[in-house]
């Protein structure tokens, strides 16, 4: 009556972070320069005899499909592990296995339900193994199965993501690491946009860990085919010899084959005004990245952790990054530097010293330090001049008073400085608060949730400051920082403790260093519905804002986009066109992403979780609220998987 589950797949939806030494070979390995015996190196069992990766990018929305074919040539069963590293923002949308010519398709289920099925299955069959490491800002998918003697198994995994424009370009990153040399290895990327491509960079391979180290230019190894000025295809088919060469240059062990990220970058022709509005089959999307705008003057307040745990390499890296960041400030800007350890100190440009604010440790004082801080006559924000920048670079090297971690103290002082500037020069400066910490709060207020609530209350009014949080190293509480930024118009990033930490910091800063517009508001006709976020606090140079929704055909959907630029309010318009492919999945993806972000801002998440789950199930996205399960019926079981596919929400579990 009931089917029995033989095995089941688990999806590691968690993000696993790598240590810097990931992919690094031991030195003995690297120095051994023997003639490579390829026959020996490729003689592994089970063997991946083919791995093909296809990606289609259209309207900046990418779908990547990985097909891996594995053979067990032995006379006993062997376990094989299929493991894929996904970009952090990607959602898996399809997974299936082909075993003995039968296809087993995975279903996206609600998390709890999936767990139940999983636990049930674990008691009767095999469970999955997990890969321990991954590349930065990625998540991994792992499945282990037994392959019968002399047989083959095929894995197919597809994931989808919306490419985020940064530094004036889109970047598609494909992780390749089969873990062995593969006879038939190929990557093929098709880009199909509705506007001419302004540039595409020669694809390159990188380790995925240390920035700008070990980049392998693929000029001579890829075929780039220009189909039209809006469409290209890129093919990369390294044979065994080339895989060995790349393994070596990227620093992985040769028997593990190629381990790296295949990167393709491109951008499309920009509309200087209102951007690109595309409408098709009941959906619209609006890409907005006007060119030719002057950067807004900004008031940047750096709130930097000066606690004891920062002493040493981390502090040196922050200092190194700060020197570059300070050099990137533009002449119209103002800046402040706040240190926090036990208390909080503010840099005084005149005396080139840090002035202790003498704030009390007492919990009850936080939230209303303003009168005290006003009386303290704290130093004025520094203007950007060669002399001031030079002074600041020296000042930040100071190692004094490195003690405990008074996060609320640092943030409240930082917000006070922002408000003071705003009062003095209303609407003149775009405020930005950059907050960096490597640990947990332990002085003042030690509850992350309380800090988030209090900071959000303090950071109110017309010109709220976006707070960008940087967690540094393994002890920082990433969840707390994500929430803090999510509720304060910003976002958070993790800085990996590695040799390139200062580059990571500087690169992060560069993405937010040039605000072009503030209070960007999109207005559409009343007939549109299910529209994603239409109000953004800031548009940064080199990035892009994207709005999507449902829209009737043959109607101009955009009324206007407004924002504040250097010369005051501006109003943008554009002409609508038709995209090269459907926009529905892009809309669904963006909607789920934004609901998930919104979930970080509310206390009762019930409703948003349900909304996110409904879309995840409908569009088969594996998101933080859903899971993926696949069940293989007994061989004797007559379940037709094709029929199961047709059932809504994976009805395979209801078969009798
Ligand atoms: C499926 O296999 C299990 C053992 O692997 C067995 O106990 C069960 O009876 C089988 N179910 C059917 C429907 O054949
Ligand atoms: C390579 O290794 C295989 C298997 O061990 C062996 O048969 C073959 O002779 C070796 N070839 C060379 C050139 O050493
Ligand atoms: C890419 O697009 C082509 C043509 O529409 C389609 O045949 C192919 O399956 C797509 N590949 C992926 C990975 O979606
Ligand atoms: C804005 O970004 C683009 C693309 O990254 C760059 O070329 C340009 O120089 C930047 N503008 C300014 C004012 O720096
Ligand atoms: C792109 O190609 C089309 C014809 O296929 C042509 O009309 C258009 O001018 C080209 N655009 C650019 C920027 O080269
Ligand atoms: C903090 O206290 C020190 C020592 O009492 C004093 O010199 C300094 O002026 C005080 N700082 C402020 C901002 O009041
Ligand atoms: C932002 O712009 C919208 C629409 O133009 C306006 O209603 C709102 O008051 C503005 N908000 C701020 C903080 O300027
Ligand atoms: C933008 O469009 C709205 C709705 O039509 C209109 O009320 C508003 O005045 C427009 N804004 C500007 C600056 O033209
Ligand atoms: C690219 O877009 C054209 C329409 O401009 C379409 O005919 C073609 O099928 C698309 N190719 C892919 C691979 O999606
Ligand atoms: C959260 O909201 C849902 C409905 O939106 C409600 O049923 C539930 O009781 C709320 N939970 C809490 C803890 O307030």
């Amino acid at each position: 009556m009931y089917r029995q589950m033989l095995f089941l797949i688990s999806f590691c939806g968690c993000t696993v972070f790598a240590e810097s030494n990931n992919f690094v070979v031991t030195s003995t390995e690297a120095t051994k320069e023997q003639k490579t015996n390829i026959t020996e190196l490729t003689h592994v069992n089970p063997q991946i005899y083919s791995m093909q990766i296809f990606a289609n990018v259209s309207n900046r929305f990418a779908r990547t499909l990985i097909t891996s074919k594995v053979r067990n040539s032995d006379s006993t069963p062997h376990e094989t592990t299929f493991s894929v590293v996904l970009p952090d923002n990607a959602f898996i949308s399809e997974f299936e296995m082909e075993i003995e010519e039968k296809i087993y398709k995975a279903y996206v289920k609600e998390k709890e339900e999936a767990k139940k099925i999983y636990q049930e299955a674990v008691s009767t069959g095999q469970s999955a193994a997990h890969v321990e490491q991954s590349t930065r800002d990625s998540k991994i998918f792992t499945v282990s199965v037994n392959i019968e003697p002399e047989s083959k198994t095929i894995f197919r995994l597809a994931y989808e993501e919306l490419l985020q424009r940064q530094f004036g370009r889109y970047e598609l990153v494909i992780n390749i690491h089969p873990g062995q040399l593969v006879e038939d290895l190929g990557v093929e990327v098709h880009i199909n946009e509705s506007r001419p491509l302004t540039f595409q960079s020669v694809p390159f391979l990188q380790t995925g860990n240390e920035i700008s180290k070990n980049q392998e230019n693929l000029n001579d190894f890829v075929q780039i085919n220009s189909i039209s000025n809006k469409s290209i295809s890129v093919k990369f088919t390294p044979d065994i010899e080339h895989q060995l060469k790349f393994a070596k240059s990227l620093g992985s062990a040769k028997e593990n084959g190629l381990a790296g990220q295949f990167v393709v970058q491109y951008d499309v022709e920009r509309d200087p005004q209102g951007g690109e509005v595309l409408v098709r089959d009941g959906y619209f999307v609006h890409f907005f990245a006007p060119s030719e705008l002057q950067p807004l003057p900004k008031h940047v307040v750096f709130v930097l952790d000066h606690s004891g745990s920062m002493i040493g390499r981390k502090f040196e890296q922050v200092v190194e990054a700060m020197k570059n960041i300070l050099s990137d400030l533009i002449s119209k800007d103002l800046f402040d530097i706040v240190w926090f350890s036990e208390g909080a100190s503010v840099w005084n440009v005149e005396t080139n010293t840090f002035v202790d604010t003498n704030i009390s440790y007492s919990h009850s004082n936080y939230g209303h330090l303003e009168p005290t801080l006003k009386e303290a006559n704290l130093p004025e924000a520094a203007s950007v001049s060669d002399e001031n920048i030079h002074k600041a670079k020296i000042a930040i090297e100071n190692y004094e008073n490195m003690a405990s971690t008074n996060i609320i103290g640092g943030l409240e002082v930082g917000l006070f400085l922002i408000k003071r500037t705003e009062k003095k020069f209303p609407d003149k400066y775009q405020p930005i608060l950059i907050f960096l910490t490597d640990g947990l709060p332990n002085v003042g207020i030690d509850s992350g949730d309380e800090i988030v609530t209090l900071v959000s209350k303090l950071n109110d009014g017309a010109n709220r400051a976006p707070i960008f949080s940087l967690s540094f190293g393994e002890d920082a509480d990433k969840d707390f920082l994500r929430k803090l930024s999510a509720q304060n118009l910003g976002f958070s990033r993790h800085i990996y403790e590695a040799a390139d930490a200062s580059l990571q910091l500087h690169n992060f800063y560069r993405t937010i260093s040039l605000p072009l517009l503030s209070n960007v508001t999109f207005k559409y006709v009343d007939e549109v519905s299910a529209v994603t976020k239409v109000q953004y606090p800031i548009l940064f140079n080199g990035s892009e804002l994207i709005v999507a929704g449902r829209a009737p055909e043959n109607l101009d959907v955009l009324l206007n986009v407004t924002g504040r630029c250097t010369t005051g309010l501006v109003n943008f318009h554009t002409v609508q066109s038709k995209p090269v492919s459907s926009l529905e999945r892009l809309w669904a993806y963006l909607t789920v992403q934004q609901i998930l972000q919104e979930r970080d801002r509310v206390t009762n998440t019930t409703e948003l979780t349900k909304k996110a789950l409904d879309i995840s199930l409908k569009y088969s996205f594996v998101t933080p609220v859903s899971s993926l399960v696949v069940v293989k019926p007994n061989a004797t079981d007559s379940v037709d998987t094709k029929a199961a596919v047709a059932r809504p929400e994976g009805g395979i579990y209801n078969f009798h």
Side-chain angles (χ1 to χ4, degrees):
M1 184 85 174
Y2 296 100
R3 80 276 166 258
Q4 195 72 42
M5 289 162 275
L6 283 189
F7 65 77
L8 175 133
I9 310 303
S10 86
F11 169 59
C12 173
C14 54
T15 311
V16 180
F17 296 100
E19 291 301 323
S20 59
N21 60 358
N22 196 17
F23 293 135
V24 172
V25 212
T26 59
S27 55
T28 49
E29 186 76 43
T31 50
K32 235 189 273 169
E33 261 310 336
Q34 289 170 352
K35 180 129 184 70
T36 311
N37 183 336
I38 291 178
T39 320
E40 211 162 57
L41 281 175
T42 54
H43 191 79
V44 286
N45 194 53
Q47 184 191 30
I48 301 172
Y49 62 97
S50 167
M51 180 176 268
Q52 292 294 333
I53 304 175
F54 288 99
N56 284 344
V57 188
S58 193
N59 311 311
R60 290 70 144 171
F61 193 65
R63 179 173 188 273
T64 305
L65 172 69
I66 300 171
T67 306
S68 175
K69 301 183 178 175
V70 190
R71 176 169 50 210
N72 176 9
S73 45
D74 224 356
S75 55
T76 54
H78 275 280
E79 192 183 64
T80 185
T81 297
F82 172 67
S83 160
V84 173
V85 180
L86 307 152
D88 202 22
N89 285 326
F91 293 148
I92 289 175
S93 56
E94 207 181 308
F95 175 64
E96 62 182 34
M97 294 182 296
E98 197 175 320
I99 300 169
E100 284 152 34
E101 280 157 31
K102 268 189 130 172
I103 291 179
Y104 302 100
K105 202 173 161 58
Y107 293 87
V108 176
K109 306 286 273 184
E110 194 270 323
K111 268 203 134 57
E112 282 307 308
E113 190 183 349
K115 207 154 116 197
K116 229 173 80 196
I117 297 163
Y118 173 74
Q119 279 159 354
E120 239 175 85
V122 163
S123 57
T124 50
Q126 294 152 304
S127 68
H130 294 284
V131 167
E132 296 296 324
Q133 305 200 99
S134 173
T135 48
R136 284 179 184 167
D137 300 329
S138 304
K139 46 190 178 189
I140 45 175
F141 170 88
T142 299
V143 52
S144 301
V145 298
N146 255 359
I147 316 189
E148 293 303 311
E150 319 267 334
S151 83
K152 294 171 184 172
T153 294
I154 302 174
F155 300 97
R156 291 188 195 91
L157 177 83
Y159 61 83
E160 293 169 46
E161 67 191 307
L162 185 58
L163 304 182
Q164 275 291 318
R165 190 167 181 261
Q166 237 181 37
F167 305 130
R169 62 183 184 234
Y170 304 99
E171 189 169 87
L172 179 73
V173 176
I174 296 172
N175 288 285
I176 315 175
H177 59 128
Q180 54 180 263
L181 293 158
V182 180
E183 256 160 60
D184 175 35
L185 178 68
V187 182
E188 196 171 323
V189 177
H190 286 269
I191 299 174
N192 209 8
E193 291 289 351
S194 34
R195 276 178 181 255
L197 308 177
T198 49
F199 91 98
Q200 76 264 349
S201 86
V202 173
F204 54 92
L205 283 170
Q206 64 189 20
T207 62
N209 278 314
E210 308 243 327
I211 300 169
S212 84
K213 269 194 197 161
N214 299 335
Q215 261 190 16
E216 186 69 39
N217 185 312
L218 294 179
N219 221 345
D220 299 330
F221 303 97
V222 295
Q223 276 169 273
I224 301 182
N225 193 357
S226 216
I227 297 149
S228 72
N229 55 16
K230 299 171 183 167
S231 181
I232 58 162
S233 76
V234 177
K235 267 190 206 171
F236 176 52
T237 47
D239 59 17
I240 299 273
E241 301 262 5
H242 286 140
Q243 289 170 45
L244 279 167
K245 176 188 171 307
F246 294 130
K248 191 171 171 222
S249 68
L250 295 174
S252 61
K254 59 184 178 234
E255 62 272 21
N256 291 341
L258 203 165
Q261 298 184 319
F262 181 79
V263 184
V264 182
Q265 299 173 330
Y266 75 99
D267 197 14
V268 301
E269 198 174 87
R270 294 283 140 198
D271 179 317
Q273 277 275 313
E276 193 176 353
V277 177
L278 302 168
V279 183
R280 178 170 156 166
D281 306 333
Y283 291 87
F284 81 91
V285 63
H286 185 176
F287 299 104
F288 181 70
S291 47
E292 296 161 19
L293 285 171
Q294 288 303 311
L296 292 169
K298 58 188 180 291
H299 175 208
V300 191
V301 177
F302 298 97
V303 178
L304 307 177
D305 193 331
H306 214 238
S307 63
S309 53
M310 288 290 293
I311 291 175
R313 190 81 189 104
K314 274 195 256 180
F315 189 69
E316 282 162 21
Q317 289 171 321
V318 170
V319 168
E320 194 184 326
M322 278 301 292
K323 287 183 179 174
N324 290 320
I325 289 169
L326 288 166
S327 298
D328 284 351
L329 291 169
I330 57 174
S331 63
K332 296 174 289 182
D333 295 345
L334 295 179
F335 70 103
D336 273 301
I337 304 172
V338 178
W339 273 350
F340 65 92
S341 60
E342 231 151 26
S345 308
V346 180
W347 182 56
N348 184 339
V349 60
E350 298 305 327
T351 57
N352 204 7
T353 52
F354 277 85
V355 179
D356 194 343
T357 55
N358 299 337
I359 50 176
S360 144
Y361 302 157
S362 155
H363 179 298
S364 60
N365 281 321
Y366 292 99
H368 24 82
L369 290 179
E370 194 177 330
T372 326
L373 294 176
K374 255 188 188 150
E375 255 169 51
N377 246 327
L378 295 177
E380 290 299 313
S383 58
V384 174
S385 65
D386 287 349
E387 195 200 339
N388 287 353
I389 296 296
H390 179 72
K391 278 183 172 174
K393 285 180 180 175
I394 294 168
I396 53 171
E397 296 198 34
N398 196 323
Y399 260 101
E400 267 171 60
N401 301 330
M402 296 188 82
S404 29
T405 314
N406 186 350
I407 286 181
I408 184 64
L411 288 171
E412 190 164 356
V413 170
L415 288 171
F416 168 80
L417 297 176
I418 280 172
K419 286 216 158 148
R420 193 179 61 174
T421 299
E422 178 60 25
K423 265 195 205 109
K424 203 164 164 192
F425 311 101
D427 280 341
K428 183 158 180 215
Y429 294 97
Q430 169 61 51
I432 291 180
L433 194 147
I434 296 179
F435 170 53
L436 178 138
T437 182
D438 77 330
L440 306 170
N442 55 18
V443 176
I445 298 179
D446 55 14
S447 144
D449 283 346
E450 253 183 86
I451 294 178
V452 171
T453 308
L454 190 51
V455 166
S456 311
K457 214 175 96 197
L458 288 169
N459 187 21
D460 61 355
N463 210 359
R464 294 177 69 199
I467 298 181
F468 298 102
S469 303
L470 297 162
S471 51
F472 193 176
E474 290 317 305
D475 294 337
D477 184 349
K478 296 188 201 102
D479 257 2
F480 154 60
L481 296 176
R482 199 184 68 240
K483 274 194 191 147
L484 177 73
S485 284
Q487 295 195 13
N488 287 280
L489 313 174
F491 50 83
S492 63
R493 279 277 182 283
H494 185 70
I495 304 298
Y496 296 86
E497 221 177 320
D500 66 341
S502 72
L503 245 178
Q504 295 172 52
L505 272 164
H506 188 206
N507 268 358
F508 162 78
Y509 177 76
R510 283 173 57 217
T511 65
I512 57 157
S513 63
L514 293 172
L516 300 177
L517 282 175
S518 67
N519 191 23
V520 187
T521 309
F522 294 82
K523 287 210 177 75
Y524 300 97
V525 295
D526 292 339
E527 287 84 349
V528 300
S529 60
V531 180
T532 60
K533 217 167 100 179
V534 290
Q535 198 144 25
Y536 287 85
I538 307 182
L539 169 74
F540 293 106
N541 188 41
S543 74
E544 178 174 73
L545 300 177
I546 305 177
V547 182
R550 289 170 173 274
E553 211 71 18
N554 306 320
L555 186 73
D556 277 338
V557 296
L558 179 69
L559 290 174
N560 59 28
V561 191
T562 56
R564 194 170 64 82
C565 71
T566 44
T567 53
L569 266 188
V570 272
N571 188 10
F572 300 94
H573 297 276
T574 192
V575 182
Q576 181 167 312
S577 56
K578 217 173 161 68
V580 287
S581 59
S582 165
L583 301 167
E584 183 171 356
R585 294 192 71 80
L586 187 164
W587 165 82
Y589 173 96
L590 195 61
T591 303
V592 178
Q593 285 285 23
Q594 291 187 355
I595 293 173
L596 293 173
Q597 282 162 17
E598 185 62 30
R599 231 168 47 120
D600 278 343
R601 285 182 214 123
V602 300
T603 39
N604 184 347
T605 56
T606 315
E607 207 161 306
L608 290 173
T609 303
K610 188 181 175 308
K611 268 193 190 169
L613 180 63
D614 287 348
I615 300 179
S616 301
L617 294 178
K618 178 162 184 211
Y619 290 93
S620 169
F621 287 142
V622 182
T623 66
V625 296
S626 57
S627 279
L628 194 65
V629 265
V630 62
V631 172
K632 183 193 172 196
N634 279 2
T636 52
D637 204 318
S638 63
V639 167
D640 175 5
T641 49
K642 286 250 171 56
V645 171
R647 290 190 169 220
E649 295 174 24
I652 190 165
Y653 306 112
N654 303 323
F655 280 115
H656 299 290

